[in-house]
Amino acid sequence: MVLTRRLIACFDVRDGRLTKARQFQDNVDVGDPVEFAARLYEDGIDEIVFYDITASSERREIDLVTVERVAEVVFVPFTVGGGIRSVEDMRAVLKAGAEKVSIDSMAVRDPSLITAGARAFGSQCIVVSMQVRAVPARAEVPSGYEIAIDGARVMTGMDAVVWAERAAGLGAGELVVNSVDQDGTHAGYDLEITRRVAQAVNVPVVASGGAGTVAHVAAAYLEADAQAAIVSSMLYSPRLAEHYSVRELKEELMAIAGVEMRPPGS
Amino acid sequence: MGQDVGVIDYAAGNSPSVLRALQHLSIPARPVSRPEEIAGCSHVILPGVGAAGATMASLTESGLTAALTDAVLGGLPYVGICIGLQVLFDQSEEDDAKCLGWLPGTVRRLPAGVRVPQIGWNLVRSTAVHGADVGTPIDGYFYFVNSYVVHPSDSAVVVAEADYGCPFPAAVRSGSIFATQFHLEKSGPAGLALLRAVLTDGVRREGAWC
């Protein structure tokens, strides 16, 4: 009897619509995010994450209306990321119905935001999402994984493992390791960096970017020791001909890979 | 006797999530942020996601600590969620906070060797002796987010437990007090069903349970 591994659905939401990107580009429209969130909740998803949830791509205001609409139909944890620049932004998102906030580029620019958020709302509320890219190892990036920001367009010269340790030390309650290289490729998570981060910190670690098969998700848990795995394409990407239901995914993970999960329908 | 469930609304709480869950269940509810708003409530729910020290400071500053103590020790049914469970006891290691002290015991950090916070769905089981007293079985997967766990002096108050590094109390009950370490409002259909049960037949307004 142990804490089960979590399956998290991730939505890119722009201008109130669910979209799907590949390596942070070429977003295509998928549908109404509230409808999808409700369907996945009914289907047994363990958590839902909305990223880049902006009401206007120019003004970059957080789309609190969509956050509220999701919170009215989803009774599992709900995380919102993108567009959060301050403790006040966090408060607004939490009031609108999110349980956790995810910060990414802003945490790199101003790491004190992690601590300020943790003081105001508790560490469990503050998720630091890391965009990592494999690079040749060098003195400042000894792990061979570098942190990228601003939609993964800007490299920071920061080592991913060093940043993970620092973010956890500053008060992050959870770390998402998103591989920019694997994102949207359906070729599998980057298990190497996920495992190294999981070994380096004592907070939960979430694998993200690249899941295309049940075996990929199982490997994130069993080989990289991620406590949770983010899936999106497998559930709804228009670039994949066949999709999984949450129930199918969980049943296969439990039966074939032996992963301990909250059973569907419970 | 009032009909509304009062949901304590304080700075670091997540009262909106609990209110949304109650709305979904068609259970009349309203936020309570001042002592006089407790009057007329059928139950009070203290939700929480923050730290014990900040929670106690916020409750005391608004005058709710004294008002809740009078009301709940006088028999008003109380439902605590997460921090709402932890503050029932005497003292928390978190911020070295003095808590409500309605139940004897302490709150301590999760043991070394597990990732902290515990975040996720854990299997909860009714404890053999007391499970039947709850009015509804508490067996199944519920969502936890916690770095601390309660250590009641009287283990008889524990009605359900789970394991994370070691067994820990997942739910307690004493008189008209019922509280869970997991998030009833975020544990999917199982959490909503239990929330409904404790607000309808699971928590009685007066008298002891056994």
Side-chain angles (χ1 to χ4, degrees):
Chain A
M1 202 173 301
V2 293
L3 190 68
T4 57
R5 307 282 175 164
R6 284 173 283 150
L7 189 68
I8 303 176
C10 165
F11 289 5
D12 282 345
V13 180
R14 305 209 173 164
D15 299 332
R17 297 289 292 175
L18 172 59
T19 66
K20 185 73 193 101
R22 182 161 47 194
Q23 292 170 321
F24 288 81
Q25 291 172 9
D26 305 328
N27 284 64
V28 293
D29 188 81
V30 178
D32 175 12
V34 181
E35 207 173 285
F36 268 80
R39 203 179 80 197
L40 293 178
Y41 166 69
E42 299 292 334
D43 202 20
I45 199 74
D46 294 325
E47 278 188 52
I48 289 176
V49 181
F50 274 31
Y51 281 128
D52 198 24
I53 175 160
T54 48
S56 150
S57 33
E58 271 139 49
R59 296 177 61 197
R60 310 300 288 172
E61 284 173 359
I62 303 165
D63 182 1
L64 295 175
V65 173
T66 300
V67 175
E68 280 175 8
R69 288 178 60 216
V70 170
E72 280 166 14
V73 293
V74 166
F75 299 97
V76 294
F78 172 38
T79 303
V80 169
I84 293 166
R85 297 181 183 81
S86 65
V87 169
E88 285 320 303
D89 285 346
M90 293 178 184
R91 195 184 309 279
V93 163
L94 297 172
K95 276 279 175 201
E99 269 60 54
K100 303 188 242 187
V101 295
S102 177
I103 49 176
D104 175 343
S105 305
M106 278 307 296
V108 172
R109 285 212 179 79
D110 177 14
S112 73
L113 185 59
I114 301 171
T115 308
R119 284 220 182 99
F121 310 110
S123 281
Q124 83 293 330
C125 222
I126 309 301
V127 181
V128 169
S129 183
M130 311 178 354
Q131 311 306 333
V132 300
R133 256 200 165 146
V135 295
R138 58 187 198 272
E140 60 177 357
V141 187
S143 73
Y145 287 94
E146 186 173 343
I147 296 292
I149 57 171
D150 294 344
R153 289 186 301 273
V154 178
M155 301 303 285
T156 61
M158 288 165 62
D159 185 273
V161 176
V162 173
W163 172 236
E165 288 171 334
R166 188 166 169 222
L170 287 169
E174 188 162 68
L175 300 178
V176 175
V177 180
N178 186 57
S179 165
V180 177
D181 307 306
Q182 301 301 105
D183 187 74
T185 62
H186 323 133
Y189 301 100
D190 190 320
L191 299 176
E192 171 68 17
I193 185 58
T194 307
R195 184 189 307 114
R196 289 176 70 171
V197 169
Q199 284 169 350
V201 299
N202 195 43
V203 298
V205 170
V206 182
S208 175
T213 68
V214 172
H216 293 152
V217 183
Y221 302 133
L222 303 177
E223 292 177 36
D225 195 28
Q227 280 65 55
I230 284 179
V231 289
S232 58
S233 296
M234 294 174 73
L235 300 174
Y236 61 77
S237 175
R239 294 194 178 95
L240 282 183
E242 289 184 22
H243 299 133
Y244 284 85
S245 69
V246 175
R247 173 177 287 273
E248 288 166 342
L249 202 43
K250 280 192 167 185
E251 280 174 351
E252 287 196 30
L253 283 164
M254 293 168 75
I256 297 168
V259 178
E260 297 210 46
M261 308 205 83
R262 173 173 72 115
S266 72
Chain B
M1 191 193 296
Q3 294 297 309
D4 286 356
V5 173
V7 181
I8 307 297
D9 180 25
Y10 63 100
N14 66 333
S15 58
S17 290
V18 175
L19 287 164
R20 270 185 210 98
L22 293 171
Q23 185 182 19
H24 184 76
L25 292 169
S26 303
I27 294 174
R30 58 181 163 87
V32 168
S33 54
R34 293 196 307 274
E36 58 271 26
E37 291 168 348
I38 295 172
C41 289
S42 63
H43 302 70
V44 284
I45 299 181
L46 181 61
V49 290
T55 300
M56 285 306 300
S58 176
L59 291 177
T60 299
E61 193 183 328
S62 57
L64 282 167
T65 299
L68 280 172
T69 301
D70 288 348
V72 174
L73 298 187
L76 177 66
Y78 170 96
V79 179
I81 299 174
C82 194
I83 288 291
L85 163 69
Q86 297 183 359
V87 294
L88 291 172
F89 294 88
D90 295 312
Q91 188 86 19
S92 174
E93 275 184 4
E94 188 178 20
D95 314 324
D96 202 21
K98 185 180 182 301
C99 296
L100 294 168
W102 299 347
L103 298 176
T106 56
V107 183
R108 296 182 214 155
R109 195 164 169 86
L110 282 162
V114 292
R115 289 182 192 270
V116 176
Q118 168 179 221
I119 298 182
W121 301 77
N122 204 332
L123 184 57
V124 173
R125 56 191 183 267
S126 294
T127 49
V129 176
H130 299 280
D133 298 337
V134 181
T136 187
I138 310 177
D139 290 281
Y141 292 87
F142 294 91
Y143 191 81
F144 289 82
V145 182
N146 61 303
S147 301
Y148 293 80
V149 290
V150 299
H151 290 253
S153 304
D154 177 8
S155 62
V157 302
V158 178
V159 293
E161 59 183 17
D163 288 334
Y164 193 59
C166 57
F168 67 92
V172 306
R173 209 209 56 230
S174 175
S176 57
I177 294 169
F178 176 82
T180 61
Q181 182 60 67
F182 49 88
H183 284 270
L184 287 163
E185 77 285 11
K186 285 289 159 180
S187 290
L192 294 179
L194 182 56
L195 181 59
R196 179 195 289 282
V198 298
L199 292 175
T200 51
D201 51 34
V203 176
R204 295 187 300 190
R205 192 173 165 81
E206 49 191 75
W209 281 86
C210 301

